[in-house]
Amino acid sequence: NNNNLILLQARTSSLRLKNKILLPINNKPLFVYCYDRLKKSQIKIICVTSTHSSDDIVEKICIKNKINYFRG
């Protein structure tokens, strides 16, 4: 029974580089690229983001890519 969990924090409100998690890496948003790399560990991954409206895009990308997510 594996109880490990990875929480991948993804929010767009960076002060120094706005929307950095959306910057493309290998034609994917940075946080999706990280998610794909973490999937190789076979540990459950949840992308966590805020309820701020600027993070609606994170939710849309998670839905499109079938990534489990939580907003809070």
Side-chain angles (χ1 to χ4, degrees), residues 23-71:
L23 293 175
I25 303 290
N26 287 346
N27 299 316
K28 298 177 186 180
L30 175 61
F31 85 94
V32 175
Y33 177 81
C34 291
Y35 174 85
D36 289 344
R37 296 289 307 241
L38 290 168
K39 265 194 330 190
K40 295 177 182 181
S41 70
Q42 299 182 344
I43 297 173
K44 183 176 180 178
I45 306 162
I46 299 175
C47 180
V48 294
T49 193
S50 77
T51 56
H52 195 276
S53 61
S54 66
D55 289 324
D56 290 351
I57 187 68
V58 175
E59 180 178 17
K60 289 177 184 173
I61 293 170
C62 284
I63 291 168
K64 178 183 174 192
N65 289 280
K66 297 179 179 161
I67 296 173
N68 291 321
Y69 68 94
F70 174 81
R71 293 189 77 171

Side-chain angles (χ1 to χ4, degrees), residues 6-38:
I6 296 172
L7 299 177
L8 177 61
Q9 181 182 346
R11 56 187 179 81
T12 58
S13 60
S14 170
L15 295 177
R16 290 178 286 160
L17 181 56
K18 282 252 187 247
N19 298 318
K20 67 183 167 197
I21 62 157
L22 303 177
L23 293 175
I25 303 290
N26 287 346
N27 299 316
K28 298 177 186 180
L30 175 61
F31 85 94
V32 175
Y33 177 81
C34 291
Y35 174 85
D36 289 344
R37 296 289 307 241
L38 290 168

